[in-house]
Amino acid sequence: MHKIKTNDYITKTELLLNTVVTINLYDKQDEDILEECFDIIRKYEAIYSRTMESSELYAVNQGIAPHTGLTYSISDQLADLIEYGLYYSELGQGAFDISIAPITSLWNFTSGITQLPDPITLQNALTYVNYRNIKLEGNLLTYAKKGTQLDLGAIAKGYIADRVKEYLISMDVHSAMINLGGNIVCLGEKPDGTPFHIGIQKPFADRNETLAVMDIRDRSVVTSGIYERFFVLDGITYHHIINPKTGYPYRNELISITIISNASVDGDGLSTLCFALGLEKGLELIKSLPDTYAIFITKDYETYYSEGFLDTILLHD
Ligand code: ADP
Ligand code: MG
Ligand code: MG
């Protein structure tokens, strides 16, 4: 869409993955490499999208992908992401659950329609949600229950950002920024040796209003918030992170979580899982993980940094 060439970097922005995707290349300003990054993202979207009727996941969810009984033969790429999804489902003991698709397909946070799903339909859909019904062995995906459907939306952007980073490294790029709608990967640092400046966005405010700015080198920064895909009905905010036990959005003290990690798929998985766990348990989980930091923002605009954050990541205005 827009391609701007400045002295510092080349950049391109496009709407993909139901969000705004921007990539900046600093040290190697090669248009072909930049284009290929977007081709890679499109290729993965065509596998992982829950809603695109041509995607591999859509075919599996509809039961029209190659299968024998309830065993589906799936691509390496789909199997790899499902493996991450099962890992986070297990880590969250079901607070995070990639079999949430029968529920998420009943909610609509993007159309501007403020309508709740029919409660009976929702209750019925809940009976299909349980990651323990999913078994993955190599390229074979087997469901214990007919009607199981997957939603990989909580980890796909992080995973894809990691793949773009991998491609850039293979092309000898050492300084780049990949932003898949808030799943940010900083590759290296700026060519002049300074870090990337990543803003912590103020929830519900304009895009460019920041609470603080972080100095980031070679890390992923993923933000999950309830202020981008949501609607308000009778004073209640309904957003897109759903409690698999109830079928309704989680209601806790949080409005935004930012995770700083090495791999973006982990940042993405953890941002959604921590939302499900809430402030206290979320902070505890982050503390238990090496080289992983987080900022939790509550509804009262209180900011909580995970242990070690302020010693590791430089903040400024
Ligand atoms: P964003 O899509 O804004 O980056 P997240 O990374 O937090 O936000 O992912 C939210 C998405 O995850 C939802 O749109 C839905 O596709 C999926 N999802 C919602 N609730 C759950 C859940 N409890 N477990 C796993 N995935 C979920
Ligand atoms: Mg996520
Ligand atoms: Mg995400």
Side-chain angles (χ1 to χ4, degrees), residues 96-120:
F96 178 109
D97 194 320
I98 55 166
S99 67
I100 192 94
I103 298 292
T104 45
S105 62
L106 298 176
W107 287 92
N108 197 336
F109 300 106
T110 46
S111 67
I113 299 167
T114 56
Q115 199 178 23
L116 300 181
D118 169 58
I120 292 168

Side-chain angles (χ1 to χ4, degrees), residues 153-155 157-158 183 222-224 268 271-272:
I155 46 170
K157 282 182 291 212
N183 279 243
V222 174
T223 299
S224 229
D268 203 357
S271 67
T272 311

Side-chain angles (χ1 to χ4, degrees), residues 17 48 77-89 96-98 151-163 180 183 222 224 263-273:
L17 308 168
Y48 301 142
Q77 293 89 336
L78 185 55
D80 202 29
L81 188 58
I82 291 174
E83 200 171 319
Y84 277 108
L86 288 174
Y87 173 80
Y88 279 103
S89 300
F96 178 109
D97 194 320
I98 55 166
D151 181 336
L152 301 169
I155 46 170
K157 282 182 291 212
Y159 181 89
I160 296 168
D162 288 334
R163 299 291 77 76
L180 313 185
N183 279 243
V222 174
S224 229
S264 201
V265 67
D266 293 320
D268 203 357
L270 289 169
S271 67
T272 311
L273 173 55

Side-chain angles (χ1 to χ4, degrees), residues 136-259:
L136 183 69
E137 284 173 311
N139 293 71
L140 296 180
L141 171 70
T142 303
Y143 294 146
K145 186 176 168 109
K146 194 171 160 58
T148 301
Q149 295 185 340
L150 307 184
D151 181 336
L152 301 169
I155 46 170
K157 282 182 291 212
Y159 181 89
I160 296 168
D162 288 334
R163 299 291 77 76
V164 173
K165 173 182 164 179
E166 236 167 44
Y167 163 72
L168 288 174
I169 291 171
S170 79
M171 298 310 284
D172 215 25
V173 173
H174 299 287
S175 177
M177 214 216 23
I178 303 155
N179 184 351
L180 313 185
N183 279 243
I184 297 173
V185 168
C186 296
L187 172 56
E189 56 188 10
K190 299 252 194 77
D192 65 2
T194 60
F196 290 102
H197 291 163
I198 306 296
I200 304 164
Q201 204 195 324
K202 191 170 172 189
F204 293 108
D206 285 340
R207 271 241 162 235
N208 45 14
E209 254 191 273
T210 53
L211 288 173
V213 175
M214 297 178 281
D215 277 2
I216 299 288
R217 287 185 172 89
D218 227 13
R219 285 185 207 262
S220 156
V221 180
V222 174
T223 299
S224 229
I226 63 167
Y227 51 88
E228 287 198 322
R229 288 163 205 240
F230 72 99
F231 62 79
V232 180
L233 188 66
D234 297 331
I236 299 173
T237 299
Y238 294 92
H239 60 82
H240 73 320
I241 303 176
I242 308 283
N243 184 343
K245 306 264 170 340
T246 65
Y248 288 88
Y250 278 107
R251 288 181 75 180
N252 56 31
E253 62 278 76
L254 297 169
I255 40 176
S256 163
I257 298 178
T258 297
I259 309 277

